[in-house]
mmCIF file of all heavy atoms in Angstrom:
data_model
loop_
_atom_site.group_PDB
_atom_site.id
_atom_site.type_symbol
_atom_site.label_atom_id
_atom_site.label_comp_id
_atom_site.label_asym_id
_atom_site.label_seq_id
_atom_site.Cartn_x
_atom_site.Cartn_y
_atom_site.Cartn_z
ATOM 1 N N LEU A 353 -90.842 9.235 52.559
ATOM 2 C CA LEU A 353 -89.609 8.630 53.056
ATOM 3 C C LEU A 353 -89.147 9.274 54.351
ATOM 4 O O LEU A 353 -88.496 8.639 55.175
ATOM 5 C CB LEU A 353 -88.502 8.743 51.996
ATOM 6 C CG LEU A 353 -88.752 8.005 50.671
ATOM 7 C CD1 LEU A 353 -87.577 8.197 49.724
ATOM 8 C CD2 LEU A 353 -88.988 6.523 50.934
ATOM 9 N N ALA A 354 -89.474 10.566 54.525
ATOM 10 C CA ALA A 354 -89.083 11.276 55.746
ATOM 11 C C ALA A 354 -90.075 11.065 56.882
ATOM 12 O O ALA A 354 -89.851 11.535 58.001
ATOM 13 C CB ALA A 354 -88.939 12.766 55.452
ATOM 14 N N GLY A 355 -91.201 10.383 56.607
ATOM 15 C CA GLY A 355 -92.183 10.120 57.644
ATOM 16 C C GLY A 355 -93.156 11.257 57.871
ATOM 17 O O GLY A 355 -93.961 11.198 58.803
ATOM 18 N N ILE A 356 -93.109 12.294 57.025
ATOM 19 C CA ILE A 356 -94.039 13.416 57.166
ATOM 20 C C ILE A 356 -95.452 12.984 56.776
ATOM 21 O O ILE A 356 -96.441 13.398 57.378
ATOM 22 C CB ILE A 356 -93.570 14.608 56.299
ATOM 23 C CG1 ILE A 356 -92.170 15.045 56.732
ATOM 24 C CG2 ILE A 356 -94.551 15.765 56.380
ATOM 25 C CD1 ILE A 356 -91.551 16.089 55.820
ATOM 26 N N VAL A 357 -95.517 12.149 55.733
ATOM 27 C CA VAL A 357 -96.783 11.598 55.245
ATOM 28 C C VAL A 357 -96.719 10.083 55.432
ATOM 29 O O VAL A 357 -95.657 9.487 55.234
ATOM 30 C CB VAL A 357 -96.993 11.953 53.751
ATOM 31 C CG1 VAL A 357 -98.267 11.307 53.212
ATOM 32 C CG2 VAL A 357 -97.040 13.461 53.568
ATOM 33 N N PRO A 358 -97.826 9.446 55.841
ATOM 34 C CA PRO A 358 -97.804 7.986 56.023
ATOM 35 C C PRO A 358 -97.300 7.263 54.773
ATOM 36 O O PRO A 358 -97.684 7.600 53.653
ATOM 37 C CB PRO A 358 -99.271 7.645 56.313
ATOM 38 C CG PRO A 358 -99.834 8.903 56.892
ATOM 39 C CD PRO A 358 -99.133 10.037 56.196
ATOM 40 N N CYS A 359 -96.439 6.279 55.000
ATOM 41 C CA CYS A 359 -95.823 5.548 53.895
ATOM 42 C C CYS A 359 -96.231 4.080 53.957
ATOM 43 O O CYS A 359 -95.841 3.367 54.885
ATOM 44 C CB CYS A 359 -94.303 5.663 53.952
ATOM 45 S SG CYS A 359 -93.430 4.840 52.609
ATOM 46 N N PRO A 360 -97.044 3.605 52.998
ATOM 47 C CA PRO A 360 -97.430 2.186 52.993
ATOM 48 C C PRO A 360 -96.255 1.303 52.613
ATOM 49 O O PRO A 360 -95.225 1.775 52.128
ATOM 50 C CB PRO A 360 -98.526 2.127 51.932
ATOM 51 C CG PRO A 360 -98.205 3.251 51.000
ATOM 52 C CD PRO A 360 -97.612 4.338 51.861
ATOM 53 N N ARG A 361 -96.434 0.017 52.823
ATOM 54 C CA ARG A 361 -95.354 -0.929 52.494
ATOM 55 C C ARG A 361 -95.066 -0.933 50.995
ATOM 56 O O ARG A 361 -93.929 -0.938 50.559
ATOM 57 C CB ARG A 361 -95.739 -2.331 52.961
ATOM 58 C CG ARG A 361 -94.684 -3.369 52.653
ATOM 59 C CD ARG A 361 -95.091 -4.745 53.184
ATOM 60 N NE ARG A 361 -94.107 -5.756 52.837
ATOM 61 C CZ ARG A 361 -92.963 -5.945 53.481
ATOM 62 N NH1 ARG A 361 -92.667 -5.191 54.516
ATOM 63 N NH2 ARG A 361 -92.121 -6.878 53.109
ATOM 64 N N HIS A 362 -96.121 -0.931 50.181
ATOM 65 C CA HIS A 362 -95.964 -0.926 48.728
ATOM 66 C C HIS A 362 -96.607 0.334 48.160
ATOM 67 O O HIS A 362 -97.827 0.476 48.194
ATOM 68 C CB HIS A 362 -96.625 -2.163 48.105
ATOM 69 C CG HIS A 362 -96.066 -3.454 48.588
ATOM 70 N ND1 HIS A 362 -94.827 -3.913 48.215
ATOM 71 C CD2 HIS A 362 -96.574 -4.388 49.427
ATOM 72 C CE1 HIS A 362 -94.594 -5.075 48.785
ATOM 73 N NE2 HIS A 362 -95.630 -5.381 49.539
ATOM 74 N N ARG A 363 -95.797 1.231 47.639
ATOM 75 C CA ARG A 363 -96.319 2.483 47.073
ATOM 76 C C ARG A 363 -96.622 2.270 45.589
ATOM 77 O O ARG A 363 -96.029 2.882 44.711
ATOM 78 C CB ARG A 363 -95.314 3.609 47.266
ATOM 79 C CG ARG A 363 -94.913 3.830 48.724
ATOM 80 C CD ARG A 363 -94.077 5.067 48.892
ATOM 81 N NE ARG A 363 -92.897 5.035 48.035
ATOM 82 C CZ ARG A 363 -92.240 6.130 47.640
ATOM 83 N NH1 ARG A 363 -92.672 7.318 47.991
ATOM 84 N NH2 ARG A 363 -91.160 6.019 46.889
ATOM 85 N N LEU A 364 -97.575 1.387 45.325
ATOM 86 C CA LEU A 364 -97.858 0.960 43.964
ATOM 87 C C LEU A 364 -99.253 1.388 43.524
ATOM 88 O O LEU A 364 -100.125 1.683 44.355
ATOM 89 C CB LEU A 364 -97.744 -0.563 43.867
ATOM 90 C CG LEU A 364 -96.378 -1.165 44.182
ATOM 91 C CD1 LEU A 364 -96.467 -2.677 44.227
ATOM 92 C CD2 LEU A 364 -95.359 -0.722 43.141
ATOM 93 N N PRO A 365 -99.511 1.419 42.219
ATOM 94 C CA PRO A 365 -100.865 1.719 41.732
ATOM 95 C C PRO A 365 -101.828 0.595 42.105
ATOM 96 O O PRO A 365 -101.417 -0.502 42.497
ATOM 97 C CB PRO A 365 -100.675 1.795 40.208
ATOM 98 C CG PRO A 365 -99.209 1.886 39.969
ATOM 99 C CD PRO A 365 -98.544 1.221 41.129
ATOM 100 N N LYS A 366 -103.112 0.869 41.960
ATOM 101 C CA LYS A 366 -104.130 -0.159 42.199
ATOM 102 C C LYS A 366 -104.402 -0.895 40.892
ATOM 103 O O LYS A 366 -104.567 -0.280 39.845
ATOM 104 C CB LYS A 366 -105.418 0.487 42.723
ATOM 105 C CG LYS A 366 -105.291 1.077 44.113
ATOM 106 C CD LYS A 366 -106.615 1.665 44.575
ATOM 107 C CE LYS A 366 -106.497 2.242 45.989
ATOM 108 N NZ LYS A 366 -107.778 2.842 46.438
ATOM 109 N N PHE A 367 -104.442 -2.214 40.973
ATOM 110 C CA PHE A 367 -104.659 -3.044 39.789
ATOM 111 C C PHE A 367 -106.087 -3.563 39.769
ATOM 112 O O PHE A 367 -106.592 -4.075 40.777
ATOM 113 C CB PHE A 367 -103.678 -4.216 39.779
ATOM 114 C CG PHE A 367 -103.905 -5.187 38.660
ATOM 115 C CD1 PHE A 367 -103.644 -4.821 37.342
ATOM 116 C CD2 PHE A 367 -104.391 -6.461 38.920
ATOM 117 C CE1 PHE A 367 -103.854 -5.728 36.303
ATOM 118 C CE2 PHE A 367 -104.604 -7.363 37.891
ATOM 119 C CZ PHE A 367 -104.330 -6.995 36.583
ATOM 120 N N ASP A 368 -106.756 -3.441 38.628
ATOM 121 C CA ASP A 368 -108.111 -3.960 38.435
ATOM 122 C C ASP A 368 -108.018 -5.244 37.622
ATOM 123 O O ASP A 368 -107.753 -5.195 36.407
ATOM 124 C CB ASP A 368 -108.963 -2.933 37.702
ATOM 125 C CG ASP A 368 -110.414 -3.389 37.561
ATOM 126 O OD1 ASP A 368 -110.723 -4.525 37.956
ATOM 127 O OD2 ASP A 368 -111.235 -2.607 37.043
ATOM 128 N N PRO A 369 -108.214 -6.407 38.232
ATOM 129 C CA PRO A 369 -108.074 -7.668 37.488
ATOM 130 C C PRO A 369 -109.122 -7.847 36.398
ATOM 131 O O PRO A 369 -108.932 -8.633 35.471
ATOM 132 C CB PRO A 369 -108.212 -8.735 38.575
ATOM 133 C CG PRO A 369 -108.936 -8.068 39.690
ATOM 134 C CD PRO A 369 -108.537 -6.630 39.641
ATOM 135 N N GLN A 370 -110.230 -7.104 36.488
ATOM 136 C CA GLN A 370 -111.280 -7.229 35.475
ATOM 137 C C GLN A 370 -110.872 -6.573 34.160
ATOM 138 O O GLN A 370 -111.133 -7.114 33.079
ATOM 139 C CB GLN A 370 -112.582 -6.584 36.002
ATOM 140 C CG GLN A 370 -113.095 -7.169 37.295
ATOM 141 C CD GLN A 370 -113.432 -8.645 37.167
ATOM 142 O OE1 GLN A 370 -113.942 -9.096 36.129
ATOM 143 N NE2 GLN A 370 -113.135 -9.423 38.211
ATOM 144 N N THR A 371 -110.232 -5.423 34.253
ATOM 145 C CA THR A 371 -109.833 -4.684 33.040
ATOM 146 C C THR A 371 -108.352 -4.824 32.721
ATOM 147 O O THR A 371 -107.936 -4.547 31.591
ATOM 148 C CB THR A 371 -110.169 -3.195 33.200
ATOM 149 O OG1 THR A 371 -109.415 -2.663 34.306
ATOM 150 C CG2 THR A 371 -111.659 -3.010 33.458
ATOM 151 N N GLY A 372 -107.547 -5.223 33.725
ATOM 152 C CA GLY A 372 -106.105 -5.307 33.525
ATOM 153 C C GLY A 372 -105.428 -3.955 33.525
ATOM 154 O O GLY A 372 -104.279 -3.833 33.078
ATOM 155 N N LEU A 373 -106.103 -2.913 34.054
ATOM 156 C CA LEU A 373 -105.564 -1.556 34.047
ATOM 157 C C LEU A 373 -105.126 -1.135 35.447
ATOM 158 O O LEU A 373 -105.638 -1.636 36.456
ATOM 159 C CB LEU A 373 -106.601 -0.566 33.516
ATOM 160 C CG LEU A 373 -107.117 -0.808 32.094
ATOM 161 C CD1 LEU A 373 -108.168 0.233 31.721
ATOM 162 C CD2 LEU A 373 -105.971 -0.784 31.093
ATOM 163 N N LEU A 374 -104.169 -0.208 35.491
ATOM 164 C CA LEU A 374 -103.670 0.345 36.744
ATOM 165 C C LEU A 374 -104.267 1.724 36.979
ATOM 166 O O LEU A 374 -104.435 2.512 36.044
ATOM 167 C CB LEU A 374 -102.144 0.447 36.705
ATOM 168 C CG LEU A 374 -101.359 -0.858 36.573
ATOM 169 C CD1 LEU A 374 -99.879 -0.559 36.398
ATOM 170 C CD2 LEU A 374 -101.583 -1.755 37.785
ATOM 171 N N THR A 375 -104.563 2.008 38.251
ATOM 172 C CA THR A 375 -105.080 3.319 38.645
ATOM 173 C C THR A 375 -104.113 3.945 39.640
ATOM 174 O O THR A 375 -103.666 3.285 40.577
ATOM 175 C CB THR A 375 -106.472 3.188 39.299
ATOM 176 O OG1 THR A 375 -107.350 2.525 38.396
ATOM 177 C CG2 THR A 375 -107.040 4.561 39.632
ATOM 178 N N GLY A 376 -103.800 5.213 39.446
ATOM 179 C CA GLY A 376 -102.861 5.893 40.328
ATOM 180 C C GLY A 376 -103.420 6.134 41.712
ATOM 181 O O GLY A 376 -104.607 6.409 41.875
#
Side-chain angles (χ1 to χ4, degrees):
L353 297 180
I356 301 172
V357 176
C359 182
R361 180 178 177 80
H362 300 287
R363 304 188 304 157
L364 298 172
K366 292 181 179 179
F367 175 69
D368 184 356
Q370 302 299 323
T371 62
L373 301 178
L374 297 174
T375 303

